[in-house]
């Protein structure tokens, strides 16, 4: 059912920050590099400066995405400290299914978002997150896909449960 009030909803897609090269351990356990930690904090500061503080965070359970979210959170807190008090802490869900997810899987995850959330941050991996952005706005999506610590801001008036289209309104590559 379409939201009669037409509440504007914001979806921020974030590809995880720069991770260590694959090694002998499982890929899901690869940590961020020093640059990745710095860039994730820069992403959080950018989100705070633009008033894009999430109500809900959906984050892949992989180590590098969790570390990216923690850096984003530190960056948002630091920016909020300079600008004034931050809002309430978001609901955070670590989603094992977001690792190696296809766009349809990520879309299904988005559709499970609580209806009252107005801003959602999804932290995930390529190629799924880039393909989700292209699925939601095929005309404006970057054909090269998201690079590490790329943020793409989508807006829609559809309820999360009906999400199938959301216009890209901003892009940013966070670098410290």
């Amino acid at each position: 059912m379409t939201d009669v009030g037409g509440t504007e909803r914001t979806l921020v897609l974030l590809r995880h920050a720069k991770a260590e090269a694959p090694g002998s351990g499982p890929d899901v356990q690869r940590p961020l590099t020093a640059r990745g930690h710095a860039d994730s904090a820069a992403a959080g500061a950018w989100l705070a400066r633009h008033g894009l503080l999430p109500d809900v965070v959906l984050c892949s359970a992989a180590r590098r995405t969790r570390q990216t979210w923690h850096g984003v959170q530190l960056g948002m807190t630091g920016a909020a400290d300079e600008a004034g008090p931050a809002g309430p802490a978001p609901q955070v869900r670590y989603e094992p299914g977001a690792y190696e997810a296809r766009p349809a899987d990520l879309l299904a995850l988005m559709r499970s978002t609580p209806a009252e959330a107005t801003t959602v941050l999804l932290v995930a991996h390529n190629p799924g997150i880039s393909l989700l952005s292209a699925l939601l706005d095929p005309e404006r999506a970057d054909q090269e896909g998201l690079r590490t610590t790329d943020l793409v801001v989508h807006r829609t008036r559809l309820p999360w449960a009906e999400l199938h289209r959301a216009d890209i309104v901003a892009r940013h590559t966070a670098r410290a």
Side-chain angles (χ1 to χ4, degrees):
M1 171 187 293
T2 302
D3 183 353
V4 178
T7 301
E8 186 172 69
R9 290 175 176 81
T10 302
L11 169 59
V12 180
L13 303 179
L14 171 60
R15 181 177 173 201
H16 65 77
K18 182 77 175 161
E20 295 286 343
S24 59
D27 183 69
V28 73
Q29 290 300 323
R30 283 195 300 138
L32 293 184
T33 63
R35 180 184 129 203
H37 285 286
D39 290 350
S40 61
W46 185 86
L47 290 169
R49 280 194 310 275
H50 290 85
L52 296 168
L53 302 175
D55 304 307
V56 174
V57 176
L58 303 172
C59 184
S60 163
R63 183 176 183 184
R64 60 189 174 273
T65 48
R66 287 183 287 119
Q67 288 179 329
T68 298
W69 161 241
H70 295 151
V72 166
Q73 195 173 26
L74 287 172
M76 287 189 311
T77 302
D81 287 346
E82 294 174 13
Q91 172 193 355
V92 180
R93 291 178 15 205
Y94 295 103
E95 298 286 345
Y99 178 71
E100 295 186 341
R102 297 180 314 247
D105 302 325
L106 295 173
L107 185 58
L109 185 61
M110 286 305 309
R111 288 178 176 160
S112 73
T113 300
E116 64 275 4
T118 57
T119 302
V120 176
L121 172 63
L122 174 61
V123 186
H125 311 265
N126 263 348
I129 197 153
S130 291
L131 293 172
L132 175 61
S133 185
L135 179 68
L136 294 173
D137 189 346
E139 294 86 31
R140 292 184 197 92
D142 187 336
Q143 298 307 306
E144 299 294 316
L146 281 73
R147 288 154 288 288
T148 57
T149 330
D150 266 2
L151 295 144
V152 179
V153 181
H154 289 262
R155 291 242 164 86
T156 187
R157 292 199 179 273
L158 294 170
W160 296 120
E162 297 177 25
L163 183 65
H164 67 274
R165 172 84 186 170
D167 295 333
I168 294 174
V169 296
R171 289 184 179 90
H172 179 71
T173 300
R175 296 289 183 251

